Each structure stands twice: as C-alpha cells, then as structure tokens.
Amino acid sequence: MGGFAAVNNANGLVAGFGGGSLGGGTGLASNAAISGFAHGAQMQQQQQAREAIRRGSTTNAKGQQKTRIRDVWQSNLAQEMQNLRELVEKYPYISMDTEFPGVIARPMGSFTSRADYHYQTLRANVDLLSVIQLGITLFGPDGESPPAHTENGPYQPNLAPCPHTWQFNFKFSPESDMYNQESIDFLMSVGMNMEMHEMQGIDPREFGAMLISSGLAMFDDVKWISFHSGYDFAYLVKLMYCKPLPEDEAEYRKLLSLFFPAIYDIKYMVKSAQRTQTINGNVPLPQNAASMLATLGSKSGLQDLADELGIKRVGPAHQAGSDSLLTGKVFWDVKRIVFNGTIEDEKYIGQVWGLNGLVPAAQTSSGDGQTTPNLNGATIYNQGVTSPSTPQNMNSVSAHTPGPQSQGNGMGTGSMTPGAGGNFGRFALR
C-alpha cells in the first residue's frame, strides 16, 4: 500500500536484559523469560479489563454512573440495545456524536465543486478508518429525558438509574487499525482506554446489524440531532452498509436519507441563521438570538455554543457520551432561543454541515497546497500535515479504499508499508 510511513515505535519488548540480541542471553535475557514477561503483562491487562467490565466501570465510570451515561461494551451490547428499543418510541429524538481516529488522507486532482472535494476527502478517510466510540442520548418531543427510575421493570428506585445516554465502545487496536497519531494520543489523554477497546470492544458489524433493526434508524419520526456531523453519519452509514461508501456523493446521500431520514445539524442551522439573519421561512431573527449570535461571532465549536447558552457539560469532554448529551442540550436551547420554539423541517432536515455549501472553501489544485476540510473540533485535534500511523502488526489487516477514477492525477508518493493490501486510487496521505 503506497503512501504510509512506517511506525517508529517498536511493537513488543526490545533487547535490554543483558548484552546481545533479543532473546540471545540467559536468565532474564532468555527467550523463555522475555516470553513470560510479555504473556504476564498481557494477562494482567486482560484481567484488569474484565474486572472493570464486571464492576460496570471504565476510566471515567464513577462519574458516568452518577450522570446516567451508560458505557456499552460487547458484553452488555444486546441488553442495552433492547433497552433502547423499548425507549425510542416515547423518546424519538436522538442526539449523537462519534469519536474516530483522525484524518489520514486527502484527495488529489480536480473536482467538480467544493462539495465534491469535501465528500471525496470524507469518503477516503471513512473507508480507511474505524469508528472508536458512538454516543447517543434520548429525548422526548419537548426535550425531556427518560426518568431515572420507574415503579416496575429494571429501573426501580432501589436499583441503578435508567441511563439517558449510551456510549458504545467499539473494537479498536493500534496493532491492526489505522489512525492519526495525534488524534489517538489526544483520546488517550482524556481517558480513553485502548486496551479495553481492543479486548472488550463491540464488533462493528454486529452493532450495524442491530442498529438496522433497533427502531432507531430508517424511520421518519425518529429525529437525529448532531453538530458538524458529516463524518459522524458517514461512519454510521459504513456500519450499516458494510461496503465502501459510494464514489458519487448523490448516491451517498440516498443511503444517508434511507438510514437516517430526519437529521438536524445544529451547526448548519446556527450558521445559516447567522449568515442570513433569518430563521425558517425568512423570518427575521429574534433580537435576543441576533445578539447571542453576534457575540458568538466566528467561534464555531459545540463547546463555544454551549458556553454562550450557559449550558454546563456533564461528563468528560471529547468522549462520545458526554458530547452527545451536550449536543442534545444545545439543540433544545437553540430551538427555544434562536428559532422561537419552532424549526421548519423542510428547510433544515437533512442539511449536514460538512456536506453542504456553507463549509469553508477548499483548495482544489493537485499540489501540496490542498487543505483538509474543517471538521468537528471535538474529533480532529491536529490539522498539521503529519504521517499517519499504520498497524504495528503489518500482516494483520487489509484496508479497502476507493478505486481509481477517471479524473485526478494518481496517488501521492510515500514509503511503502509491507504486508498490507488495498488501493488508494487518487487519494494521497496527509
């Protein structure tokens, strides 16, 4: 596979117990001793992860239990999906956020439009990479959350409270999955446990099949709430479609509207109101909304908007559960303050920031001056041009990526990564 830089850090133990090459000595430097150390460390990690799952905890589990954010791993996936099936009919507004391992590729060549460039960048990266977390939060039609306790069923007052937010943790391993190093370092710095994702993470194909039949997707009356969600929904479409994303954006939009017929993107809604100073059917912005958006100015992140609205975050930032909860709270305040309590669905549903014309212009030449589209700041942490990180186990994965197209001028050149298959087509690596 062209274009990947080799991983600098070695995988596993290195020589250090006495002189000579790895495993060439005696005592602590012997093959048996080194193998035993590696096996013991692996067993300890597995035991710690199993114990954390048994206690229903993760790095941030104590706070999540208090805040009704439920961590979902492979072991409790079926039960929590059943809980969601039972709740979604009464609470059909779903706010959503994902965490994924950054951006590693950008398209080269000429493009029919700015939107085409943005979609081709999205397609290249989503096909190559894997989602790490999905957070969803349920709300009723007036913004209400499911009650913490019920008189009957599994959430009686003397039992654990009913969650209103679910944080799905997918199988992910730096050994076999591609990633941007800065993004993974950042996620780990805010508490994401990669060992647990590797050992206890959810099988993405199993989740995709469950999502299709869950009642959460493919229904017009289930509304999905998001913020700058081009990549977020692309990863969900990938989970459900189980194929590379379509080469043509129009075909992708058909899939998106099939799986998620009713999407609100708060960033699109707010930026549209900010730019036109109108809402819904060209109704002038309310005075208090105009003042708030003027104060917001060019700040465009979810946390910026939450701060302006005076909404306090619950749970750790840059984790999908907390971000999805904050997204939902922001939506209901935006609906109330900016849109006077009424959102005209014909104008806003299906408009996804990152796939529409309001995004900043992108360079469309084939040189190094191209820029990657502005993405959700809660997900992409480094816009500098860096070499992507590749699987440490070079024989463990084959990446399937978009094939060549008639336009464009081929791949960017770079060091070859041995043992991996796939085809980048006209996509170059960042």
Side-chain angles (χ1 to χ4, degrees):
M1 180 184 295
F4 277 112
V7 176
N8 291 326
N9 59 312
N11 179 24
L13 295 172
V14 297
F17 298 105
S21 61
L22 178 61
T26 60
L28 291 177
S30 66
N31 284 320
I34 293 174
S35 176
F37 294 145
H39 179 69
Q42 182 181 24
M43 291 294 291
Q44 182 179 9
Q45 290 175 343
Q46 291 173 348
Q47 177 61 33
Q48 290 171 343
R50 284 194 295 269
E51 179 64 16
I53 289 289
R54 186 187 67 79
R55 295 194 309 266
S57 64
T58 64
T59 303
N60 297 293
K62 184 175 181 181
Q64 289 189 358
Q65 288 172 350
K66 291 180 179 179
T67 60
R68 298 173 62 195
I69 298 176
R70 176 67 52 84
D71 260 308
V72 185
W73 302 88
Q74 185 67 42
S75 60
N76 63 333
L77 173 63
Q79 179 60 54
E80 296 305 330
M81 291 300 290
Q82 179 60 35
N83 293 339
L84 283 165
R85 288 188 193 98
E86 295 173 359
L87 289 167
V88 69
E89 185 173 353
K90 189 173 181 180
Y91 302 94
Y93 285 76
I94 305 173
S95 58
M96 179 270 286
D97 182 72
T98 68
E99 298 294 342
F100 53 92
V103 165
I104 65 171
R106 58 179 172 85
M108 299 181 67
S110 58
F111 305 94
T112 58
S113 66
R114 177 174 54 188
D116 181 37
Y117 173 75
H118 280 265
Y119 175 68
Q120 297 305 329
T121 305
L122 176 149
R123 180 171 74 94
N125 286 280
V126 171
D127 280 349
L128 282 168
L129 303 174
S130 300
V131 66
I132 300 176
Q133 275 186 346
L134 164 68
I136 64 173
T137 301
L138 297 188
F139 295 92
D142 296 318
E144 70 275 19
S145 297
H149 297 285
T150 56
E151 292 184 5
N152 300 305
Y155 302 115
Q156 298 176 42
N158 60 330
L159 301 176
C162 173
H164 53 45
T165 299
W166 286 258
Q167 182 167 274
F168 295 90
N169 300 282
F170 293 98
K171 181 171 282 295
F172 183 88
S173 171
E175 297 281 340
S176 57
D177 290 296
M178 296 179 185
Y179 55 92
N180 178 289
Q181 186 66 57
E182 286 76 15
S183 293
I184 290 297
D185 289 345
F186 186 92
L187 290 173
M188 293 178 69
S189 75
V190 297
M192 197 169 287
N193 188 326
M194 291 302 166
E195 287 80 10
M196 286 191 66
H197 278 270
E198 182 174 0
M199 291 184 286
Q200 303 288 347
I202 296 167
D203 182 318
R205 288 182 177 269
E206 182 176 347
F207 177 83
M210 286 186 171
L211 185 58
I212 287 175
S213 61
S214 66
L216 277 68
M218 305 180 72
F219 286 96
D220 292 345
D221 55 352
V222 176
K223 316 289 189 184
W224 283 73
I225 301 165
S226 61
F227 187 94
H228 197 154
S229 55
Y231 277 71
D232 296 322
F233 281 109
Y235 277 105
L236 293 190
V237 168
K238 177 183 177 180
L239 289 174
M240 302 169 77
Y241 190 48
C242 296
K243 295 179 181 179
L245 298 184
E247 293 186 12
D248 181 60
E249 183 186 354
E251 292 302 312
Y252 169 72
R253 285 184 175 273
K254 291 178 183 178
L255 280 178
L256 182 63
S257 63
L258 171 67
F259 291 135
F260 303 101
I263 295 172
Y264 295 112
D265 190 310
I266 302 167
K267 186 165 184 176
Y268 180 94
M269 294 163 59
V270 169
K271 287 294 185 182
S272 176
Q274 199 175 36
R275 182 173 63 95
T276 65
Q277 293 295 295
T278 62
I279 55 173
N280 297 323
N282 295 320
V283 176
L285 269 177
Q287 185 58 47
N288 60 335
S291 299
M292 186 198 75
L293 295 182
T295 303
L296 187 66
S298 62
K299 294 182 290 186
S300 59
L302 175 64
Q303 190 65 57
D304 297 320
L305 189 53
D307 291 343
E308 196 63 40
L309 292 165
I311 299 173
K312 185 178 180 181
R313 176 185 288 275
V314 177
H318 305 299
Q319 296 218 358
S322 174
D323 285 356
S324 75
L325 178 56
L326 188 65
T327 298
K329 290 183 174 183
V330 166
F331 172 81
W332 295 108
D333 269 17
V334 165
K335 180 180 179 181
R336 176 176 57 86
I337 296 172
V338 178
F339 289 85
N340 256 347
T342 302
I343 295 174
E344 188 177 296
D345 286 353
E346 293 78 11
K347 184 176 179 65
Y348 298 105
I349 275 188
Q351 301 291 342
V352 177
W353 186 271
L355 289 180
N356 296 288
L358 287 177
V359 293
Q363 300 286 337
T364 55
S365 67
S366 61
D368 292 336
Q370 280 181 300
T371 59
T372 300
N374 180 30
L375 303 174
N376 186 346
T379 305
I380 303 302
Y381 311 107
N382 188 337
Q383 297 295 333
V385 178
T386 60
S387 296
S389 297
T390 56
Q392 296 178 13
N393 180 352
M394 299 304 180
N395 297 313
S396 61
V397 63
S398 175
H400 301 283
T401 58
Q405 298 184 7
S406 57
Q407 65 183 47
N409 53 7
M411 289 165 35
T413 59
S415 59
M416 299 295 290
T417 300
N423 184 0
F424 272 105
R426 63 185 179 116
F427 295 98
L429 295 175
R430 297 183 70 241

